Amino acid sequence: MTVTLADVAARAQVSPATVSRVLNGNYPVAASTRERVLRAVDELDYVLNGPASSLAAATSDLVGILVHDIADPFFGIMASAIQSEIGGPGGRAGGERLAVVCNTGGSPERELTYLTLLQRQRAAAVVLTGGAVESAPHAEAVAAKLRKLSDAGTRVVLCGRPPAPDTGAIALAFDNRGGARELTEHLIGLGHRRLGYIAGPLERTTTRHRLEGHRAALEAHGIPVDDRLIVHGRYDRQSGYEATLELLRRDTSLTAVVAANDSVALGACAALRDSGLRIPDDVSVAGFDDLPFGIDAAPSLTTVRLPLSDAGARAGRIAMGREEPPPGDLATVRGELMVRGSSGMPRG
Amino acid sequence: MTVTLADVAARAQVSPATVSRVLNGNYPVAASTRERVLRAVDELDYVLNGPASSLAAATSDLVGILVHDIADPFFGIMASAIQSEIGGPGGRAGGERLAVVCNTGGSPERELTYLTLLQRQRAAAVVLTGGAVESAPHAEAVAAKLRKLSDAGTRVVLCGRPPAPDTGAIALAFDNRGGARELTEHLIGLGHRRLGYIAGPLERTTTRHRLEGHRAALEAHGIPVDDRLIVHGRYDRQSGYEATLELLRRDTSLTAVVAANDSVALGACAALRDSGLRIPDDVSVAGFDDLPFGIDAAPSLTTVRLPLSDAGARAGRIAMGREEPPPGDLATVRGELMVRGSSGMPRG
DNA sequence: CACCGTGCAGAAAGCGCTTGCTGTGACGCT
DNA sequence: AGCGTCACAGCAAGCGCTTTCTGCACGGTG
């Protein structure tokens, strides 16, 4: 048998109620009594029963963080920042909360299942990171879930994810469109006219927005959008490698490759090198996100820096009710163009 | 008011007990009844109350994963692999479990607090990743906690962490010593005699083991160990950068730098480049872990590959009781030397 | 001196679920 | 026909905590 509140109460010669109040510190207890209780807790090595406590109090100290891929630093960095504000041990502000990082693998079904699991645990808050899937039924299902969570008192924050109207969710969205546009304009400014684009998976908001920004830049400069220069793939290095080979196969005259993110860009670099092309002399390459490793690539990667850490921290604070939500429950977080060695003027 | 089991029972015209049994599927229920119940659940949009369920059943479906730094792919990759086996949504085997990734930031206090939190939640299992802190009081405190968790029926698995004797914990330890030795021997084999070593933080098992392997290699080849060529730092890029400058300041004749891990190695590369040295022509560099980005560095990084994904997956299965623990509750996972462009023969 | 606010502590009623035990018909056996 | 068996369903007793409400002693006030 494990030690219970009652055991502590007996040892401290007080009622269970008093022990509970000492432990929660939300009710006046005489200093001498408190000390007696604390000593008993210590002597018995008592640990509160979480489920029982959550049941009785109808709240829990769980905070869920949903990420697409925990092995990807893009999410790791955000999760880390969110968690640091959530508290848990260390983030001393207001009660120990257990931050739960849930790996959805980008699958909408798992996303829903995790949300249900968190709802079941009566989570105090939920932060969803990364782009959303655009398929209507899923979007609707997720929205319904979020609404239910909101109604149940769970604070819902979207970090790096477009807003979900009428769900009570607070959104911190990345300006993927603007960043992508700026990036492509940088390349155009250097003189590039034939640009390949390696997009992310279809039906993802992030993919669509970045692609839209790219297209907008082209159009604004009177460059016709050639769909043959757009290839879709996953958000990983290998996908970037393959897509680049495909791009090269389709059009050997391109002078720049814009990638959906940094990992894809590094794959692209590898493919170009393996094809005997120099970067940026023969082909310029650009990524997105500015993950830490981009700087160590050769040449270092031109990209758009997203303030993942800041955004995550802010999302965490909002989730904890420690910061005011932005007006209209929506804030747009801008990226910043980082020009480095992988982009240069086109050959000739 | 939220929907409760009783509401569902009323609607399905059965007793709450029957609803519970349908939901848990651990007791015979007539097909027709089950269907009626399931329909009611659906119609009412019922979600089980997790805390209540955990309280009554005296078990929970939480599994804790402790990592030092979730933003570091080293841990991200392991966590991802562990989680994929834990189940949660997707890992279909046996009940939905909620994998909780906890970020300790490498702090022993937080580690303890998280363990207490998990103990409080009556976690089904706990997986601790990464090296341990060597300070005696902390080691003892952690061991005591692990013992308590074990006694309470929580399965404890150590992944990439040395064994904790008499705690009931199952350990999958990395052979850091052997890997480091092999790595240094590779450099010695190339002809290097003055090797700098950038070690991790003091009082960490990983740091010590890797350093021991390095020293063992030197000694085995009759190369005197010069403590001035060993610098301690953190496990990150910046630390590698600074340590390398320090190393260069202490001895300009070194021809190779062995780093505590890949991130540190990349920092070292940057420092060398900034000092006007070529890699590997002037100085060879080697890392450890073989994280994905090492291959895109210029030149690509010679390192020791640790099977993070495999080890994590195995740890996850063991935690779920889906795989037999190794004999003696301890298995050693070996690394594999990956020779790439950053190491070469010394100049001259 | 009677009265009331105040500061603490306890009694007890749940929170929503699980599960051991107790029926209760239907069925097959002797 | 009588009875043991089986498959299923319900009863009710908690699981360990929180919290409302009540109780009590004390000291200041009119």
Side-chain angles (χ1 to χ4, degrees), chain B residues 214-234:
Chain B
H214 172 70
R215 285 191 153 120
L218 293 179
E219 283 162 8
H221 291 262
I223 302 175
V225 176
D226 181 351
D227 280 341
R228 290 173 26 94
L229 287 184
I230 296 174
V231 180
H232 282 270
R234 298 179 313 278

Side-chain angles (χ1 to χ4, degrees), chain A residues 198-215:
Chain A
I198 307 178
L202 285 166
E203 300 218 313
R204 301 290 266 290
T205 53
T206 308
T207 299
R208 181 163 62 79
H209 292 157
R210 292 186 182 176
L211 188 47
E212 284 172 4
H214 172 68
R215 285 193 153 119

Side-chain angles (χ1 to χ4, degrees), chain A residues 19-89:
Chain A
V19 177
S20 169
R21 300 203 258 246
V22 168
L23 260 24
N24 290 298
N26 52 8
Y27 195 84
V29 172
S32 64
T33 311
R34 182 200 326 288
E35 200 188 322
R36 201 143 31 89
V37 169
L38 257 18
R39 184 147 14 94
V41 165
D42 224 55
E43 289 167 355
L44 295 179
D45 217 359
Y46 169 69
V47 175
L48 195 66
N49 182 317
S53 159
S54 295
L55 171 58
T59 64
S60 106
D61 48 8
L62 230 59
V63 174
I65 302 174
L66 266 61
V67 301
H68 289 350
D69 179 7
I70 203 182
D72 182 338
F74 176 83
F75 293 102
I77 291 169
M78 270 198 289
S80 172
I82 296 168
Q83 192 163 32
S84 72
E85 294 288 339
I86 292 302

Side-chain angles (χ1 to χ4, degrees), chain A residues 103-192:
Chain A
N103 210 203
T104 66
S107 138
E109 294 81 31
R110 285 209 226 170
E111 193 166 271
L112 276 175
T113 320
Y114 268 125
L115 286 174
T116 303
L117 237 41
L118 288 165
Q119 181 184 4
R120 171 178 307 182
Q121 299 297 331
R122 307 299 190 252
V126 174
V127 181
L128 314 221
T129 65
V133 168
E134 296 216 281
S135 121
H138 275 307
E140 188 40 58
V142 170
K145 210 41 148 185
L146 295 185
R147 211 172 298 127
K148 237 162 269 158
L149 281 163
S150 273
D151 290 350
T154 297
R155 211 166 331 221
V156 180
V157 182
L158 309 176
C159 181
R161 192 176 172 116
D166 305 320
T167 59
I170 295 158
L172 257 41
F174 290 140
D175 179 21
N176 285 307
R177 210 170 327 215
R181 174 167 181 159
E182 210 179 330
L183 185 60
T184 296
E185 287 187 328
H186 155 68
L187 291 166
I188 295 173
L190 286 172
H192 294 273

Side-chain angles (χ1 to χ4, degrees), chain B residues 13-50:
Chain B
Q13 318 236 53
V14 296
S15 73
T18 302
V19 177
S20 169
R21 300 204 257 245
V22 167
L23 261 25
N24 291 299
N26 51 10
Y27 196 83
V29 172
S32 64
T33 311
R34 183 201 325 287
E35 200 188 322
R36 203 144 28 90
V37 169
L38 256 18
R39 185 148 14 96
V41 165
D42 225 54
E43 289 167 354
L44 294 179
D45 218 0
Y46 170 69
V47 176
L48 195 67
N49 182 317

